[in-house]
Amino acid sequence: MRIAVQEAAFDLGDEARAFAAGAAGAGAVVTFTGLVRGDGGMVAMEIEHYPGMTERAINVILRQAAERWSLTDALVIHRHGRLAVGEAIMMVATAAPHRADAFAAAEFLMDYLKSRAPFWKKEIGPDGAAWVAAKEADETALTRW
């Protein structure tokens, strides 16, 4: 299982191919990539985090997913710094013997990354910048787990 919290962009195709190539014994690989949306004229997003704390929090979530579902491997890449509209923010990949576990674990990881991972996001638009507040819908999504 691998966690990467990085400023640098990543190549989705390269990451997905490498992950799948290392997923020995898996019958399913699921990947998800989150992109910066251009809602409301937003031109960029700034993401901040605390190094060390962020990786530890993500590792706890990964271990929970591995214990709950039959994962053979998992990957979380999350970027920080300034990202333009359309850039990849994060990627989750899961591998499991069966697709149901791979899909469920990927959704679990995405929901927890969105709501619990210690990242702070600021939307930058033509009229200035504003911190992104937690959304009730994201908190509600956690209740299914």
Side-chain angles (χ1 to χ4, degrees):
M1 298 204 189
R2 182 168 71 94
I3 298 166
V5 178
Q6 62 193 48
E7 193 165 356
F10 59 89
D11 184 289
L12 170 62
D14 289 348
E15 293 291 349
R17 276 189 291 282
F19 183 79
V29 170
V30 169
T31 65
F32 171 84
T33 303
L35 307 175
V36 177
R37 293 186 305 260
D39 297 347
M42 188 173 77
V43 296
M45 177 176 279
E46 250 177 57
I47 301 173
E48 295 182 8
H49 76 108
Y50 287 112
M53 182 175 101
T54 303
E55 291 84 354
R56 281 190 299 276
I58 295 171
N59 189 49
V60 168
I61 295 165
L62 269 177
R63 287 176 190 240
Q64 289 174 1
E67 290 171 7
R68 188 164 180 181
W69 293 279
S70 297
L71 296 184
T72 58
D73 202 1
L75 165 68
V76 172
I77 301 172
H78 204 296
R79 294 183 61 202
H80 62 89
R82 186 179 175 106
L83 294 97
V85 170
E87 285 191 72
I89 297 174
M90 55 83 68
M91 175 183 177
V92 166
T94 56
H98 303 284
R99 66 181 171 170
D101 281 356
F103 273 110
E107 284 191 282
F108 170 83
L109 289 168
M110 291 179 295
D111 284 347
Y112 272 83
L113 286 167
K114 180 86 173 168
S115 299
R116 294 292 186 263
F119 290 102
W120 295 269
K121 299 173 183 176
K122 187 187 306 181
E123 294 179 346
I124 302 164
D127 299 325
W131 291 103
V132 176
K135 294 181 179 136
E136 189 174 325
D138 293 335
E139 290 299 314
T140 301
L142 292 177
T143 62
R144 66 184 172 145
W145 306 113

mmCIF file with all atom_site columns, all heavy atoms in Angstrom, residues 1-3 19 62 71-76 93-95 109:
data_model
loop_
_atom_site.group_PDB
_atom_site.id
_atom_site.type_symbol
_atom_site.label_atom_id
_atom_site.label_alt_id
_atom_site.label_comp_id
_atom_site.label_asym_id
_atom_site.label_entity_id
_atom_site.label_seq_id
_atom_site.pdbx_PDB_ins_code
_atom_site.Cartn_x
_atom_site.Cartn_y
_atom_site.Cartn_z
_atom_site.occupancy
_atom_site.B_iso_or_equiv
_atom_site.pdbx_formal_charge
_atom_site.auth_seq_id
_atom_site.auth_comp_id
_atom_site.auth_asym_id
_atom_site.auth_atom_id
_atom_site.pdbx_PDB_model_num
ATOM 1   N N   . MET A 1 1   ? 0.851   -1.164 0.000   1.00 0.00 ? 1   MET A N   1
ATOM 2   C CA  . MET A 1 1   ? 0.000   0.000  0.000   1.00 0.00 ? 1   MET A CA  1
ATOM 3   C C   . MET A 1 1   ? 0.902   1.233  0.000   1.00 0.00 ? 1   MET A C   1
ATOM 4   O O   . MET A 1 1   ? 1.891   1.263  0.705   1.00 0.00 ? 1   MET A O   1
ATOM 5   C CB  . MET A 1 1   ? -0.921  -0.004 1.201   1.00 0.00 ? 1   MET A CB  1
ATOM 6   C CG  . MET A 1 1   ? -1.846  -1.189 1.183   1.00 0.00 ? 1   MET A CG  1
ATOM 7   S SD  . MET A 1 1   ? -3.318  -0.906 2.121   1.00 0.00 ? 1   MET A SD  1
ATOM 8   C CE  . MET A 1 1   ? -3.970  -2.544 2.077   1.00 0.00 ? 1   MET A CE  1
ATOM 9   N N   . ARG A 1 2   ? 0.501   2.201  -0.800  1.00 0.00 ? 2   ARG A N   1
ATOM 10  C CA  . ARG A 1 2   ? 1.355   3.371  -0.961  1.00 0.00 ? 2   ARG A CA  1
ATOM 11  C C   . ARG A 1 2   ? 0.543   4.647  -0.795  1.00 0.00 ? 2   ARG A C   1
ATOM 12  O O   . ARG A 1 2   ? -0.578  4.739  -1.274  1.00 0.00 ? 2   ARG A O   1
ATOM 13  C CB  . ARG A 1 2   ? 2.008   3.346  -2.348  1.00 0.00 ? 2   ARG A CB  1
ATOM 14  C CG  . ARG A 1 2   ? 2.968   4.507  -2.591  1.00 0.00 ? 2   ARG A CG  1
ATOM 15  C CD  . ARG A 1 2   ? 3.806   4.309  -3.847  1.00 0.00 ? 2   ARG A CD  1
ATOM 16  N NE  . ARG A 1 2   ? 3.078   4.438  -5.074  1.00 0.00 ? 2   ARG A NE  1
ATOM 17  C CZ  . ARG A 1 2   ? 2.983   5.576  -5.783  1.00 0.00 ? 2   ARG A CZ  1
ATOM 18  N NH1 . ARG A 1 2   ? 3.559   6.685  -5.349  1.00 0.00 ? 2   ARG A NH1 1
ATOM 19  N NH2 . ARG A 1 2   ? 2.321   5.602  -6.915  1.00 0.00 ? 2   ARG A NH2 1
ATOM 20  N N   . ILE A 1 3   ? 1.156   5.597  -0.117  1.00 0.00 ? 3   ILE A N   1
ATOM 21  C CA  . ILE A 1 3   ? 0.588   6.935  0.059   1.00 0.00 ? 3   ILE A CA  1
ATOM 22  C C   . ILE A 1 3   ? 1.612   7.921  -0.470  1.00 0.00 ? 3   ILE A C   1
ATOM 23  O O   . ILE A 1 3   ? 2.793   7.835  -0.130  1.00 0.00 ? 3   ILE A O   1
ATOM 24  C CB  . ILE A 1 3   ? 0.330   7.241  1.548   1.00 0.00 ? 3   ILE A CB  1
ATOM 25  C CG1 . ILE A 1 3   ? -0.676  6.262  2.133   1.00 0.00 ? 3   ILE A CG1 1
ATOM 26  C CG2 . ILE A 1 3   ? -0.122  8.686  1.738   1.00 0.00 ? 3   ILE A CG2 1
ATOM 27  C CD1 . ILE A 1 3   ? -0.723  6.283  3.647   1.00 0.00 ? 3   ILE A CD1 1
ATOM 28  N N   . PHE A 1 19  ? 0.140   0.447  -10.908 1.00 0.00 ? 19  PHE A N   1
ATOM 29  C CA  . PHE A 1 19  ? -0.639  -0.158 -9.830  1.00 0.00 ? 19  PHE A CA  1
ATOM 30  C C   . PHE A 1 19  ? -1.206  -1.507 -10.276 1.00 0.00 ? 19  PHE A C   1
ATOM 31  O O   . PHE A 1 19  ? -1.081  -2.507 -9.568  1.00 0.00 ? 19  PHE A O   1
ATOM 32  C CB  . PHE A 1 19  ? -1.771  0.778  -9.392  1.00 0.00 ? 19  PHE A CB  1
ATOM 33  C CG  . PHE A 1 19  ? -2.568  0.238  -8.247  1.00 0.00 ? 19  PHE A CG  1
ATOM 34  C CD1 . PHE A 1 19  ? -2.090  0.321  -6.947  1.00 0.00 ? 19  PHE A CD1 1
ATOM 35  C CD2 . PHE A 1 19  ? -3.799  -0.360 -8.460  1.00 0.00 ? 19  PHE A CD2 1
ATOM 36  C CE1 . PHE A 1 19  ? -2.815  -0.196 -5.883  1.00 0.00 ? 19  PHE A CE1 1
ATOM 37  C CE2 . PHE A 1 19  ? -4.542  -0.876 -7.412  1.00 0.00 ? 19  PHE A CE2 1
ATOM 38  C CZ  . PHE A 1 19  ? -4.045  -0.797 -6.115  1.00 0.00 ? 19  PHE A CZ  1
ATOM 39  N N   . LEU A 1 62  ? -6.343  3.899  5.190   1.00 0.00 ? 62  LEU A N   1
ATOM 40  C CA  . LEU A 1 62  ? -5.969  2.764  4.331   1.00 0.00 ? 62  LEU A CA  1
ATOM 41  C C   . LEU A 1 62  ? -6.025  1.448  5.092   1.00 0.00 ? 62  LEU A C   1
ATOM 42  O O   . LEU A 1 62  ? -6.534  0.449  4.576   1.00 0.00 ? 62  LEU A O   1
ATOM 43  C CB  . LEU A 1 62  ? -4.559  2.961  3.777   1.00 0.00 ? 62  LEU A CB  1
ATOM 44  C CG  . LEU A 1 62  ? -4.413  3.667  2.451   1.00 0.00 ? 62  LEU A CG  1
ATOM 45  C CD1 . LEU A 1 62  ? -2.946  3.831  2.083   1.00 0.00 ? 62  LEU A CD1 1
ATOM 46  C CD2 . LEU A 1 62  ? -5.144  2.927  1.354   1.00 0.00 ? 62  LEU A CD2 1
ATOM 47  N N   . LEU A 1 71  ? -8.679  -6.370 0.370   1.00 0.00 ? 71  LEU A N   1
ATOM 48  C CA  . LEU A 1 71  ? -7.787  -5.674 -0.557  1.00 0.00 ? 71  LEU A CA  1
ATOM 49  C C   . LEU A 1 71  ? -6.455  -6.394 -0.665  1.00 0.00 ? 71  LEU A C   1
ATOM 50  O O   . LEU A 1 71  ? -5.896  -6.854 0.329   1.00 0.00 ? 71  LEU A O   1
ATOM 51  C CB  . LEU A 1 71  ? -7.538  -4.240 -0.084  1.00 0.00 ? 71  LEU A CB  1
ATOM 52  C CG  . LEU A 1 71  ? -8.737  -3.311 -0.052  1.00 0.00 ? 71  LEU A CG  1
ATOM 53  C CD1 . LEU A 1 71  ? -8.286  -1.904 0.356   1.00 0.00 ? 71  LEU A CD1 1
ATOM 54  C CD2 . LEU A 1 71  ? -9.442  -3.268 -1.399  1.00 0.00 ? 71  LEU A CD2 1
ATOM 55  N N   . THR A 1 72  ? -5.949  -6.464 -1.877  1.00 0.00 ? 72  THR A N   1
ATOM 56  C CA  . THR A 1 72  ? -4.596  -6.965 -2.074  1.00 0.00 ? 72  THR A CA  1
ATOM 57  C C   . THR A 1 72  ? -3.614  -5.800 -2.157  1.00 0.00 ? 72  THR A C   1
ATOM 58  O O   . THR A 1 72  ? -2.423  -5.981 -1.921  1.00 0.00 ? 72  THR A O   1
ATOM 59  C CB  . THR A 1 72  ? -4.488  -7.825 -3.345  1.00 0.00 ? 72  THR A CB  1
ATOM 60  O OG1 . THR A 1 72  ? -4.884  -7.043 -4.467  1.00 0.00 ? 72  THR A OG1 1
ATOM 61  C CG2 . THR A 1 72  ? -5.370  -9.060 -3.237  1.00 0.00 ? 72  THR A CG2 1
ATOM 62  N N   . ASP A 1 73  ? -4.129  -4.601 -2.470  1.00 0.00 ? 73  ASP A N   1
ATOM 63  C CA  . ASP A 1 73  ? -3.276  -3.413 -2.540  1.00 0.00 ? 73  ASP A CA  1
ATOM 64  C C   . ASP A 1 73  ? -4.162  -2.171 -2.588  1.00 0.00 ? 73  ASP A C   1
ATOM 65  O O   . ASP A 1 73  ? -5.349  -2.253 -2.917  1.00 0.00 ? 73  ASP A O   1
ATOM 66  C CB  . ASP A 1 73  ? -2.384  -3.458 -3.787  1.00 0.00 ? 73  ASP A CB  1
ATOM 67  C CG  . ASP A 1 73  ? -1.146  -2.572 -3.658  1.00 0.00 ? 73  ASP A CG  1
ATOM 68  O OD1 . ASP A 1 73  ? -0.949  -1.931 -2.604  1.00 0.00 ? 73  ASP A OD1 1
ATOM 69  O OD2 . ASP A 1 73  ? -0.359  -2.522 -4.626  1.00 0.00 ? 73  ASP A OD2 1
ATOM 70  N N   . ALA A 1 74  ? -3.574  -1.029 -2.264  1.00 0.00 ? 74  ALA A N   1
ATOM 71  C CA  . ALA A 1 74  ? -4.278  0.249  -2.359  1.00 0.00 ? 74  ALA A CA  1
ATOM 72  C C   . ALA A 1 74  ? -3.248  1.359  -2.561  1.00 0.00 ? 74  ALA A C   1
ATOM 73  O O   . ALA A 1 74  ? -2.083  1.226  -2.160  1.00 0.00 ? 74  ALA A O   1
ATOM 74  C CB  . ALA A 1 74  ? -5.098  0.526  -1.114  1.00 0.00 ? 74  ALA A CB  1
ATOM 75  N N   . LEU A 1 75  ? -3.712  2.427  -3.169  1.00 0.00 ? 75  LEU A N   1
ATOM 76  C CA  . LEU A 1 75  ? -2.860  3.583  -3.460  1.00 0.00 ? 75  LEU A CA  1
ATOM 77  C C   . LEU A 1 75  ? -3.660  4.846  -3.227  1.00 0.00 ? 75  LEU A C   1
ATOM 78  O O   . LEU A 1 75  ? -4.822  4.933  -3.645  1.00 0.00 ? 75  LEU A O   1
ATOM 79  C CB  . LEU A 1 75  ? -2.402  3.530  -4.928  1.00 0.00 ? 75  LEU A CB  1
ATOM 80  C CG  . LEU A 1 75  ? -1.801  4.801  -5.532  1.00 0.00 ? 75  LEU A CG  1
ATOM 81  C CD1 . LEU A 1 75  ? -0.446  5.118  -4.900  1.00 0.00 ? 75  LEU A CD1 1
ATOM 82  C CD2 . LEU A 1 75  ? -1.669  4.656  -7.037  1.00 0.00 ? 75  LEU A CD2 1
ATOM 83  N N   . VAL A 1 76  ? -3.052  5.817  -2.561  1.00 0.00 ? 76  VAL A N   1
ATOM 84  C CA  . VAL A 1 76  ? -3.631  7.149  -2.432  1.00 0.00 ? 76  VAL A CA  1
ATOM 85  C C   . VAL A 1 76  ? -2.551  8.154  -2.810  1.00 0.00 ? 76  VAL A C   1
ATOM 86  O O   . VAL A 1 76  ? -1.464  8.149  -2.224  1.00 0.00 ? 76  VAL A O   1
ATOM 87  C CB  . VAL A 1 76  ? -4.130  7.444  -0.996  1.00 0.00 ? 76  VAL A CB  1
ATOM 88  C CG1 . VAL A 1 76  ? -4.545  8.910  -0.865  1.00 0.00 ? 76  VAL A CG1 1
ATOM 89  C CG2 . VAL A 1 76  ? -5.281  6.533  -0.623  1.00 0.00 ? 76  VAL A CG2 1
ATOM 90  N N   . ALA A 1 93  ? -6.639  4.160  -5.800  1.00 0.00 ? 93  ALA A N   1
ATOM 91  C CA  . ALA A 1 93  ? -6.697  2.889  -6.531  1.00 0.00 ? 93  ALA A CA  1
ATOM 92  C C   . ALA A 1 93  ? -6.785  1.767  -5.504  1.00 0.00 ? 93  ALA A C   1
ATOM 93  O O   . ALA A 1 93  ? -6.130  1.811  -4.470  1.00 0.00 ? 93  ALA A O   1
ATOM 94  C CB  . ALA A 1 93  ? -5.466  2.708  -7.415  1.00 0.00 ? 93  ALA A CB  1
ATOM 95  N N   . THR A 1 94  ? -7.636  0.798  -5.808  1.00 0.00 ? 94  THR A N   1
ATOM 96  C CA  . THR A 1 94  ? -7.775  -0.371 -4.936  1.00 0.00 ? 94  THR A CA  1
ATOM 97  C C   . THR A 1 94  ? -7.716  -1.633 -5.794  1.00 0.00 ? 94  THR A C   1
ATOM 98  O O   . THR A 1 94  ? -8.170  -1.633 -6.935  1.00 0.00 ? 94  THR A O   1
ATOM 99  C CB  . THR A 1 94  ? -9.098  -0.347 -4.153  1.00 0.00 ? 94  THR A CB  1
ATOM 100 O OG1 . THR A 1 94  ? -10.184 -0.235 -5.072  1.00 0.00 ? 94  THR A OG1 1
ATOM 101 C CG2 . THR A 1 94  ? -9.135  0.799  -3.155  1.00 0.00 ? 94  THR A CG2 1
ATOM 102 N N   . ALA A 1 95  ? -7.192  -2.682 -5.218  1.00 0.00 ? 95  ALA A N   1
ATOM 103 C CA  . ALA A 1 95  ? -7.145  -3.986 -5.883  1.00 0.00 ? 95  ALA A CA  1
ATOM 104 C C   . ALA A 1 95  ? -7.668  -5.025 -4.901  1.00 0.00 ? 95  ALA A C   1
ATOM 105 O O   . ALA A 1 95  ? -7.343  -4.991 -3.710  1.00 0.00 ? 95  ALA A O   1
ATOM 106 C CB  . ALA A 1 95  ? -5.716  -4.327 -6.300  1.00 0.00 ? 95  ALA A CB  1
ATOM 107 N N   . LEU A 1 109 ? -12.554 5.074  0.874   1.00 0.00 ? 109 LEU A N   1
ATOM 108 C CA  . LEU A 1 109 ? -11.354 5.921  0.915   1.00 0.00 ? 109 LEU A CA  1
ATOM 109 C C   . LEU A 1 109 ? -11.653 7.334  0.418   1.00 0.00 ? 109 LEU A C   1
ATOM 110 O O   . LEU A 1 109 ? -11.222 8.319  1.026   1.00 0.00 ? 109 LEU A O   1
ATOM 111 C CB  . LEU A 1 109 ? -10.227 5.295  0.090   1.00 0.00 ? 109 LEU A CB  1
ATOM 112 C CG  . LEU A 1 109 ? -9.609  4.036  0.691   1.00 0.00 ? 109 LEU A CG  1
ATOM 113 C CD1 . LEU A 1 109 ? -8.716  3.341  -0.325  1.00 0.00 ? 109 LEU A CD1 1
ATOM 114 C CD2 . LEU A 1 109 ? -8.833  4.369  1.958   1.00 0.00 ? 109 LEU A CD2 1
#
